[in-house]
Amino acid sequence: MSISILRPGLLTTVQDLGRHGYQKDGILVSGATDAVSLRVANLLVGNTEDAAGLEITLLGPRLRFDADHLIALTGAHLSPTLDGQPVGLNRPVWVAAGTELAFGTAVAGSRSYLAVAGGLAVAPVLGSRSTYLRAGFGGLEGRALRAGDHLPCAAPSATGRQLMAALAAAAASATWAQARWAPGPALCPVPRASPVVRAVVGPEYGQFSVESQQAFWQQPFTVTPEADRMGYRLQGPTLTRHTAAELLSSAVTFGTVQVPAGGQPILLMADHQTTGGYPRLAQVITADFSVLAQLRPGQTVRFAEVALAEAQALYLAQERRLRALRQAVETRTR
């Protein structure tokens, strides 16, 4: 079973939940920028949550399924179609061999995810199938997809096979059929135009002037064109420290807000470096990483301060919703 890439789109890569355990060696975690969307897509087709799928950025690809498959699309709304007909997000979809998936206008968000039952079976590197573009490894030959590529797919799980059989039976003579059910909006929110993301104060927060601290929480910041999987440069009020002391390089992670000498923040994303020498003003909470992942250049974002205990509670609530989805999908196939 495989998928043929007819047109690659702007930036389409193979991603899973990342390459863990190697940051001490300077190797990034990488993985899906919107990990929750990939996890939801995988659950909807009966995969384990860490199976490899496609991360599709802004301008989607055109591809053909070379065998019957069960798929799910989550994340950004990039106007997907199957054989020219609109297809819904956030639900299992059976597709017959030869069916073509394409994308149109980006309606909301920037990154869409495609999971296929069984997962994409590219060779793992250091325990992950994620593409690390800057180093050129993982995924399919360490690069974004190109026209003419063929992506191998593993065999579906028992859950995936049952979902696939039920939808194939409902399709009759059509080339695809989608489920009528979908997860609730808490797991599949529609990306907002000017979102607010929640954050806790960072280790160097106290080095910034009171005026800069207040500006960070109260003023909007615009995502500049310098935005990729490594990080976003933001433009807004100039943030200043009341000390000129140099800092030792320290650990950074997804969602860390660093502020270089120029006073304009940098927001670190999935392909962030392992350490950084800029002061860490804040840390976006894990439960809001998906919001960050769906930002586009030109959009504004605001930050809202929360306590660490609230951040932990929000993370646990998100994990409970994912667990409930997994159980709900399994229940439907018993």
Side-chain angles (χ1 to χ4, degrees):
M1 295 190 293
S2 65
I3 300 172
S4 296
I5 306 303
L6 308 178
R7 188 177 62 209
L10 179 65
L11 177 65
T12 305
T13 58
V14 176
Q15 299 292 343
D16 57 18
L17 296 185
R19 193 166 281 109
H20 297 272
Y22 299 97
Q23 290 189 85
K24 65 183 186 305
D25 303 311
I27 298 174
L28 316 184
V29 174
S30 196
T33 310
D34 184 348
V36 170
S37 288
L38 177 62
R39 293 170 71 184
V40 170
N42 275 323
L43 289 172
L44 291 173
V45 296
N47 289 352
T48 59
E49 296 175 34
D50 61 351
L54 289 184
E55 180 175 279
I56 297 160
T57 304
L58 285 175
L59 181 61
R62 180 166 159 253
L63 51 84
R64 183 183 62 239
F65 299 97
D66 298 327
D68 291 5
H69 283 289
L70 181 72
I71 65 168
L73 291 162
T74 59
H77 190 333
L78 305 182
S79 304
T81 61
L82 285 169
D83 284 345
Q85 299 299 313
V87 59
L89 299 176
N90 310 318
R91 63 196 66 210
V93 182
W94 171 80
V95 293
T99 303
E100 290 189 5
L101 172 66
F103 295 82
T105 305
V107 177
S110 61
R111 292 182 171 92
S112 184
Y113 292 85
L114 168 65
V116 56
L120 299 178
V122 297
V125 176
L126 298 176
S128 169
R129 294 182 168 85
S130 283
T131 311
Y132 177 23
L133 292 169
R134 289 174 187 261
F137 65 79
L140 188 68
E141 302 174 357
R143 57 171 172 76
L145 298 188
R146 300 171 182 161
D149 284 340
H150 297 278
L151 291 169
C153 303
S157 67
T159 298
R161 290 196 300 273
Q162 291 181 53
L163 290 169
M164 192 171 171
L167 288 171
S173 59
T175 59
W176 59 276
Q178 61 185 341
R180 296 180 179 178
W181 52 271
L187 278 180
C188 305
V190 177
R192 288 167 289 173
S194 300
V196 176
V197 296
R198 295 162 290 192
V200 296
V201 299
E204 284 76 53
Y205 181 78
Q207 294 184 10
F208 288 83
S209 67
V210 172
E211 292 77 13
S212 293
Q213 293 173 358
Q214 292 175 341
F216 179 70
W217 301 119
Q218 296 172 359
Q219 300 297 318
F221 290 84
T222 302
V223 180
T224 72
E226 296 176 273
D228 58 18
R229 282 181 45 87
M230 184 176 181
Y232 301 158
R233 284 189 177 271
L234 305 180
Q235 187 171 39
T238 301
L239 307 175
T240 58
R241 298 162 68 205
H242 53 62
T243 173
E246 295 287 333
L247 297 174
L248 294 174
S249 290
S250 303
V252 292
T253 188
F254 196 131
T256 299
V257 180
Q258 294 182 309
V259 183
Q264 298 298 309
I266 298 173
L267 189 50
L268 299 184
M269 301 298 290
D271 282 353
H272 63 82
Q273 68 274 23
T274 56
T275 62
Y278 298 135
R280 297 159 296 181
L281 175 61
Q283 174 64 47
V284 175
I285 67 173
T286 305
D288 283 359
F289 284 178
S290 291
V291 181
L292 297 184
Q294 298 300 343
L295 290 172
R296 304 183 202 176
Q299 273 190 276
T300 59
V301 59
R302 290 176 179 267
F303 297 92
E305 183 179 0
V306 296
L308 180 59
E310 183 178 358
Q312 292 169 333
L314 290 164
Y315 167 74
L316 292 174
Q318 187 176 68
E319 291 300 308
R320 283 194 292 271
R321 287 192 287 271
L322 285 163
R323 185 187 308 165
L325 174 61
R326 181 167 58 249
Q327 293 170 342
V329 173
E330 291 172 353
T331 299
R332 285 182 172 273
T333 56
R334 288 174 184 163

